[in-house]
């Protein structure tokens, strides 16, 4: 296991700490699709016993971020274009609902969200681009006034984040995505629920089509990093 994971401080809930650290590493692409996960090495790296590592790995497998490796053990799950398309079908429905509800409430999103996004898109940090995108969508979830939307969307975020991390560095999507975001925010602020919903559906469909094409064009091999 490469020395990219920091040791964890002793705390009551080590399972959650191990889970979060591995979850973030997989989502950000620090642990690549197909990379084998060795429980004993992780325990040593985190300076914890094997038990919290074992429980964290079980949770990550349930999330679909880990899968059975050939022979025995676990490996980081592959990035699958068909599965990603399904993720975005669900995300598109949730985000469209959130945009409609936010518009019905006449919510005004913080303009700094757009400024932050454009700045990130003009830079080279994929992590900053992803974080800015996540912050914008979370702001709409909050503005919708229905906490179940964000909770449901978060179930699928890690898979979308992995795909974005794998494709954004070579993608042209970042050049237009914040124009779409700004139009959505304007429709929400204007109270135009129909337009806000339509724009969000189109936005999610556009993002899904783009990411799926990029994954198909540039498949990730085991151990490959971007």
């Amino acid at each position: 296991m490469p020395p990219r994971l920091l040791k964890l401080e002793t705390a009551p809930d080590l399972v959650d700490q191990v889970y979060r650290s591995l979850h973030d590493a997989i989502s950000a692409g620090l642990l690549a699709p197909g990379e084998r996960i060795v429980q004993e090495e992780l325990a040593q790296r985190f300076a914890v016993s094997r038990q919290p590592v074992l429980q964290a790995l079980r949770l990550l497998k349930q999330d679909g971020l880990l899968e059975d490796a050939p022979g025995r053990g676990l490996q980081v799950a592959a990035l699958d274009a068909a599965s990603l398309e399904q993720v975005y079908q669900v995300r598109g429905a949730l985000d469209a609902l959130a945009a409609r509800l936010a518009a019905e409430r006449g919510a005004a999103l913080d303009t700094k969200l757009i400024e932050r996004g454009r700045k990130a898109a003009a830079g080279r940090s994929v992590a900053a681009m992803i974080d800015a995108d996540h912050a914008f969508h979370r702001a709409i979830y909050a503005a919708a006034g229905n906490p179940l939307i964000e909770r449901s969307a978060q179930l699928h975020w890690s898979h979308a984040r992995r795909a974005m991390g794998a494709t954004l560095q070579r993608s042209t999507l970042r050049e237009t995505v914040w124009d779409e975001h700004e139009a959505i925010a304007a429709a929400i602020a204007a109270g135009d629920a129909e337009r806000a919903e339509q724009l969000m559906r189109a936005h999610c469909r556009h993002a899904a089509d783009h990411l799926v094409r990029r994954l198909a064009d540039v498949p990730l091999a085991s151990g490959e990093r971007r």
Side-chain angles (χ1 to χ4, degrees):
M1 184 67 60
R4 297 189 299 275
L5 304 173
L6 301 177
K7 290 185 178 180
L8 301 177
E9 299 297 329
T10 301
D13 196 353
L14 290 176
V15 174
D16 186 63
Q17 289 190 69
V18 174
Y19 171 85
R20 290 297 171 190
S21 181
L22 290 174
H23 189 287
D24 289 346
I26 294 170
S27 298
L30 298 178
L31 296 176
E35 186 163 339
R36 188 173 289 269
I37 302 299
V38 181
Q39 180 182 337
E40 292 78 5
E41 292 182 5
L42 286 175
Q44 292 177 2
R45 178 65 56 190
F46 290 135
V48 298
S49 68
R50 293 174 58 185
Q51 191 59 31
V53 174
L54 176 61
Q55 294 182 47
L57 294 181
R58 287 174 176 168
L59 292 173
L60 289 164
K61 185 178 180 182
Q62 290 177 7
D63 290 345
L65 296 178
L66 296 179
E67 61 189 9
D68 292 327
R72 57 173 301 191
L74 296 171
Q75 66 184 19
V76 178
L79 276 168
D80 179 68
S83 296
L84 179 65
E85 192 166 13
Q86 293 173 346
V87 165
Y88 266 87
Q89 286 174 351
V90 175
R91 181 180 176 184
L94 289 170
D95 284 24
L97 174 61
R100 169 174 280 279
L101 293 177
E104 289 175 352
R105 302 176 78 200
L109 301 184
D110 189 344
T111 57
K112 291 182 179 179
L113 291 167
I114 304 295
E115 295 172 9
R116 174 186 172 187
R118 292 195 182 280
K119 181 178 179 180
R124 298 179 58 86
S125 172
V126 171
M129 297 177 208
I130 295 173
D131 288 345
D133 184 271
H134 194 204
F136 176 80
H137 285 270
R138 289 190 66 189
I140 296 177
Y141 301 152
N146 184 339
L148 293 179
I149 295 176
E150 181 171 5
R151 292 177 198 169
S152 301
Q154 286 299 103
L155 295 174
H156 311 289
W157 169 244
S158 57
H159 299 286
R161 183 182 176 191
R162 290 183 72 202
M164 292 168 71
T167 61
L168 275 179
Q169 191 64 60
R170 298 180 174 90
S171 171
T172 58
L173 182 66
R174 56 181 172 172
E175 298 173 4
T176 59
V177 66
W178 287 98
D179 291 335
E180 295 177 10
H181 282 170
E182 189 166 20
I184 292 168
I188 290 174
D192 191 339
E194 188 70 26
R195 178 166 173 76
E197 180 179 1
Q198 291 176 351
L199 287 173
M200 182 61 84
R201 285 191 185 279
H203 169 67
C204 290
R205 185 167 57 251
H206 179 206
D209 289 346
H210 184 87
L211 292 175
V212 166
R213 284 197 305 270
R214 289 294 301 151
L215 287 178
D217 292 343
V218 189
L220 290 176
S222 176
E224 180 184 356
R225 288 182 178 78
R226 295 194 168 96

